Amino acid sequence: MWVSYPPFFYCVSVSWKGETVGGSRLYRLVTKLRRLKIALRSWNKHIFGRMDTHIAVLEDRIKGLEVSLQCTFSEDMEDDLIASQMELSVWLDRDEKCLSQQVKQGWIQ
């Protein structure tokens, strides 16, 4: 799910290239992984923590655009509708992946 979101790789690279860590190679690896874990938890909560509300906002926007297009047609509104539908599709796919991962994790436990 995270990999499908383009800023994920930026978050990883910023965390990984953070302040320099001294010590043995294994110690540096462990320290960078701990730092990455903290950054990814925060990033996940910020980006995907409100996935349901983001999907609901997109659905409401699509409904509003459809009603507006029925009253008066505009190419800009139609383009906005198509873009919103595509964005909704991406977010629904991410939500499905998240639920699938949670189910697999529960099954393993």
Side-chain angles (χ1 to χ4, degrees):
M1 176 180 73
W2 291 350
V3 177
S4 70
Y5 196 71
F8 166 74
F9 294 108
Y10 177 75
C11 177
V12 171
S13 72
V14 165
S15 173
W16 199 260
K17 294 177 183 177
E19 65 183 65
T20 308
V21 179
S24 70
R25 290 182 181 168
L26 185 58
Y27 177 76
R28 288 187 295 208
L29 176 65
V30 169
T31 303
K32 286 184 175 187
L33 287 173
R34 283 184 185 150
R35 188 171 52 206
L36 179 62
K37 179 181 177 181
I38 292 168
L40 287 177
R41 279 190 180 179
S42 172
W43 179 81
N44 181 53
K45 184 176 182 181
H46 176 72
I47 300 297
F48 296 108
R50 297 180 220 102
M51 197 173 338
D52 292 338
T53 57
H54 192 73
I55 289 171
V57 166
L58 281 170
E59 288 173 341
D60 289 343
R61 182 177 182 172
I62 289 170
K63 286 178 186 175
L65 286 168
E66 287 174 343
V67 169
S68 297
L69 279 171
Q70 288 177 358
C71 295
T72 57
F73 178 78
S74 166
E75 283 191 33
D76 291 336
M77 258 194 278
E78 185 181 29
D79 292 342
D80 194 22
L81 174 66
I82 292 169
S84 296
Q85 288 173 334
M86 290 174 60
E87 186 178 357
L88 177 63
S89 174
V90 168
W91 279 98
L92 287 172
D93 185 51
R94 288 179 184 148
D95 188 40
E96 183 178 333
K97 286 179 184 177
C98 179
L99 292 173
S100 173
Q101 290 170 354
Q102 288 174 354
V103 167
K104 286 178 186 175
Q105 187 177 22
W107 183 82
I108 290 172
Q109 290 176 353

